[in-house]
Amino acid sequence: MPAQGKHRRSQSTSLRRGLVAVTAGGAVLALPVIGATSAFAAPAPQSAVAPASVAAQVNSAVQAAPAQHSVAAGETLSKIAREYSVSGGWEKLYEGNRKIIGENPDLIHPGIKLTLGTKGEAPSGGKADKSAKASPSAARGAEADRADRSERINAAPVAKAAPAAEKAVTYTNDLDGWIKESLAVMAEQGIPGTYEGIHRNIMRESSGNPAAINNWDSNAVKGTPSKGLLQVIDPTFQAYHVPGTSTDSYDPVANITAACNYAADRYGSIDNVFGAY
């Protein structure tokens, strides 16, 4: 039996040589083709993002930069400290800006620039979020600010100017002065009457004599003679005596005011009296 021949299949190479194809339009270079028996992974594209360590350094540099606030009219240290979440509150803010503020922390002028610490501290309140102004926490913050300001203001007593002493009014010791003083007392007590009405009746009854007395009429017969400028009997004087005046019926001011008080009760006013009353 004839021996079987051994046939050997030629091995195919993984990388085939490039071929040059000539066409009517020109030559095309065929690049090597990766065979099925060997494969290589494509290199991963490099990321354009900076390493985390670099970003951290950038953030750190931003936070280290000092932040400032320009004071607006009506602002206080307490309000600014809350808006920027300053650690240590308004005391810390004042301590760091004492040179520019001065010795009074309650007096900060609009336009001065305060150092707040670092820009990494996020502002709070109305400057960070307008909607926060309407929130309950913002309202409570505003109330606390007013209370804090009130405490600092009340802590500093303010001297009040002493009231000016009222100038004492003096009256002359004559008929004109007696009538004017009586009118002042009557005004305080709400008793009606005018200078003219009082003067007219005095001249008819006593001719301006405070010691005048009637010892002949019916009242005198009863033991109660008419006395003084307006000829008032004792029972009438006692019944209509005006507090604050003398209890002596001969006293000019006491006599006039008691008679006018009686006339107001019976006639409406001494101005309505034109005869014996």
Side-chain angles (χ1 to χ4, degrees), residues 41-266:
Q46 295 183 351
S47 174
V49 180
S53 60
V54 176
Q57 293 177 4
V58 173
N59 292 336
S60 176
V62 171
Q63 292 180 355
Q68 288 187 332
H69 172 77
S70 180
V71 177
E75 288 188 319
T76 64
L77 290 179
S78 177
K79 180 179 179 181
I80 296 171
R82 272 195 298 273
E83 288 181 348
Y84 289 90
S85 301
V86 175
S87 177
W90 71 268
E91 295 91 344
K92 188 67 175 179
L93 185 60
Y94 172 59
E95 181 181 348
N97 296 273
R98 188 165 185 162
K99 290 184 179 180
I100 188 172
I101 294 175
E103 296 301 321
N104 188 357
D106 294 326
L107 184 62
I108 56 175
H109 300 284
I112 65 173
K113 296 187 181 297
L114 304 179
T115 300
L116 304 175
T118 63
K119 291 184 178 179
E121 296 173 346
S124 60
K127 294 187 177 181
D129 185 0
K130 293 183 179 179
S131 62
K133 292 183 178 179
S135 66
S137 60
R140 288 194 296 270
E143 293 176 359
D145 176 57
R146 288 193 293 269
D148 180 68
R149 183 186 304 175
S150 177
E151 289 175 1
R152 296 202 302 274
I153 292 174
N154 293 336
V158 179
K160 294 183 179 180
E166 294 183 2
K167 186 178 180 180
V169 180
T170 58
Y171 300 96
T172 56
N173 189 25
D174 54 18
L175 183 58
D176 179 71
W178 300 332
I179 294 176
K180 289 179 179 178
E181 186 174 354
S182 296
L183 285 169
V185 175
M186 291 164 58
E188 293 178 355
Q189 299 295 327
I191 301 172
T194 64
Y195 186 101
E196 190 279 330
I198 294 173
H199 186 271
R200 170 168 44 82
N201 281 282
I202 286 176
M203 298 310 294
R204 186 189 67 250
E205 295 292 333
S206 66
S207 299
N209 179 13
I213 183 171
N214 186 328
N215 290 317
W216 54 266
D217 64 1
S218 59
N219 288 321
V221 173
K222 295 176 182 178
T224 55
S226 302
K227 301 176 182 179
L229 290 174
L230 283 171
Q231 294 292 284
V232 183
I233 62 176
D234 285 341
T236 301
F237 177 83
Q238 294 169 4
Y240 290 94
H241 172 260
V242 177
T245 62
S246 174
T247 56
D248 181 4
S249 62
Y250 282 108
D251 180 85
V253 175
N255 188 280
I256 293 172
T257 54
C260 289
N261 194 22
Y262 163 74
D265 182 47
R266 187 166 183 180

Side-chain angles (χ1 to χ4, degrees), residues 16-33:
R16 298 184 178 180
R17 298 180 180 275
L19 302 177
V20 177
V22 179
T23 63
V28 177
L29 175 63
L31 297 178
V33 179

Side-chain angles (χ1 to χ4, degrees), residues 258-274:
C260 289
N261 194 22
Y262 163 74
D265 182 47
R266 187 166 183 180
Y267 303 102
S269 171
I270 190 70
D271 295 342
N272 299 329
V273 177
F274 293 91

